[in-house]
Amino acid sequence: MAVLSILSGLLGVGILGLTIYSEDLVVQYEIFPREFADTNRGVFSEAYAKATHPRLRDEYGFYLAPIVSISWYIAYEVIRISLVHLGTFFLLSGLRFMNRILQEPSSRSILARGVMNVCFLGSFGYHGICMWKDMIQTDRIPASIQELAQDLDSNNSNASNLLYIPPTPHDRLYQYIPNFQRLSAVMAAFQIKNIIDTIYYKDGFIFFIHHLIVVFVAAWALHPFAHFHGTFFFGVSETSTTLLALLANFSAKYGVPALEYEYPISRKFFGFLFALSFIIVRSILWPFFYLFLH
């Protein structure tokens, strides 16, 4: 049994390593074009151009054509996300004799799913913050909330001083951001994986509808559409969701009930962090940006 555990752990490490270096591998073996990994010059460097994809437009229509044009990448991300889930499961299997919670295959599966969710949601939040950081002129930071509110007013001439405020409603809706185009594709893949998991783990109809709607929203963003807004609502806001995904592992219905019994302090600590992040991100920043970034 010890040998089997070691082999399971090594297999998990191998699968996770494969996911980390998968981009280099698919480029090296020419599965993807060599420039694909370079956001600035690769497949995400320019928005989907209807004029250069007449066959896709005629065959699949306005809505599906941009999605089909990078469907290969979305499929790749679904596979990579699934491998993170699988690799984590085998890694936890290798550690199952270190904690009695890990001895149940169902618990390992649920925790592996939780690790997958935390990793990718955390990545969305991180990249969202990075995009906002890149778009802010560091030599022109508002001195007060009142000044920031004035700058956020689209009719205020000072708005151009902040790089993250496109000057017109049209620009705010149709400005192309390469990093967000890629994030949208990954989000679509992540939600497709979540739909599969929702069915397998029997999360319920509400979760299924939620994931399905987010797939459609992510797909619509590929046209491109609402990239500027999406850097917050698909990016920064996921910092709060990351903590929720972490907390869900303690849930009696959706997680591993034994976790709360074994680690009650940890559960309260993560609950406090989520509540704090929810207030800051969802209750303060979310309505603030929604009201001023229309």
Side-chain angles (χ1 to χ4, degrees):
M1 294 296 290
V3 174
L4 184 60
S5 295
I6 294 174
L7 292 177
S8 296
L10 291 176
L11 178 60
V13 171
I15 294 174
L16 292 174
L18 178 65
T19 64
I20 294 173
Y21 294 104
S22 59
E23 288 192 1
D24 294 334
L25 292 175
V26 295
V27 170
Q28 178 180 347
Y29 290 99
E30 299 183 352
I31 299 174
F32 289 171
R34 291 189 176 277
E35 68 274 11
F36 119 91
D38 188 338
T39 303
N40 295 321
R41 299 197 308 271
V43 296
F44 298 102
S45 62
E46 297 180 357
Y48 167 83
K50 301 176 182 61
T52 59
H53 293 80
R55 183 187 64 80
L56 291 178
R57 183 192 61 214
D58 295 340
E59 186 173 350
Y60 295 100
F62 168 78
Y63 182 75
L64 290 178
I67 305 168
V68 173
S69 68
I70 59 169
S71 58
W72 54 272
Y73 180 75
I74 296 175
Y76 157 75
E77 287 292 351
V78 172
I79 294 173
R80 185 163 73 155
I81 294 167
S82 301
L83 287 177
V84 171
H85 190 172
L86 181 65
T88 305
F89 173 79
F90 280 114
L91 179 60
L92 293 177
S93 296
L95 302 174
R96 64 182 180 271
F97 293 110
M98 298 179 65
N99 192 299
R100 69 179 188 87
I101 295 177
L102 299 178
Q103 293 177 10
E104 290 292 333
S106 59
S107 296
R108 297 198 298 271
S109 178
I110 292 172
L111 290 175
R113 182 192 184 191
V115 170
M116 174 198 72
N117 286 333
V118 168
C119 287
F120 280 89
L121 288 169
S123 176
F124 295 143
Y126 170 77
H127 285 289
I129 292 173
C130 287
M131 281 185 272
W132 272 80
K133 182 180 178 181
D134 291 342
M135 289 189 288
I136 295 176
Q137 272 187 316
T138 55
D139 59 347
R140 176 57 179 81
I141 301 299
S144 66
I145 294 295
Q146 290 79 7
E147 185 178 348
L148 176 61
Q150 291 176 349
D151 284 341
L152 287 174
D153 184 353
S154 61
N155 296 320
N156 190 307
S157 60
N158 292 329
S160 60
N161 291 325
L162 295 174
L163 290 183
Y164 64 92
I165 305 297
T168 67
H170 180 276
D171 290 339
R172 288 194 288 275
L173 284 177
Y174 297 103
Q175 179 188 45
Y176 183 73
I177 302 176
N179 284 330
F180 184 76
Q181 182 80 346
R182 187 170 186 174
L183 187 148
S184 296
V186 179
M187 176 64 81
F190 178 69
Q191 297 301 336
I192 290 172
K193 176 62 167 68
N194 267 286
I195 288 175
I196 297 171
D197 287 346
T198 294
I199 296 172
Y200 179 80
Y201 291 98
K202 301 178 180 179
D203 291 340
F205 182 72
I206 297 298
F207 285 95
F208 177 85
I209 293 299
H210 168 268
H211 299 315
L212 185 63
I213 290 175
V214 179
V215 169
F216 280 108
V217 173
W220 193 260
L222 298 173
H223 280 72
F225 183 73
H227 279 198
F228 169 66
H229 299 82
T231 56
F232 177 81
F233 296 108
F234 261 18
V236 177
S237 68
E238 298 299 355
T239 55
S240 173
T241 315
T242 303
L243 293 170
L244 177 61
L246 183 61
L247 189 61
N249 291 305
F250 294 84
S251 170
K253 184 176 182 180
Y254 302 110
V256 180
L259 275 180
E260 184 171 9
Y261 178 78
E262 294 283 347
Y263 306 101
I265 297 178
S266 297
R267 195 264 187 226
K268 292 178 181 178
F269 175 71
F270 292 132
F272 168 77
L273 290 181
F274 168 68
L276 183 63
S277 69
F278 188 92
I279 292 172
I280 295 174
V281 177
R282 304 280 178 155
S283 300
I284 298 176
L285 296 179
W286 185 294
F288 182 77
F289 287 126
Y290 173 78
L291 290 174
F292 285 101
L293 303 185
H294 57 276

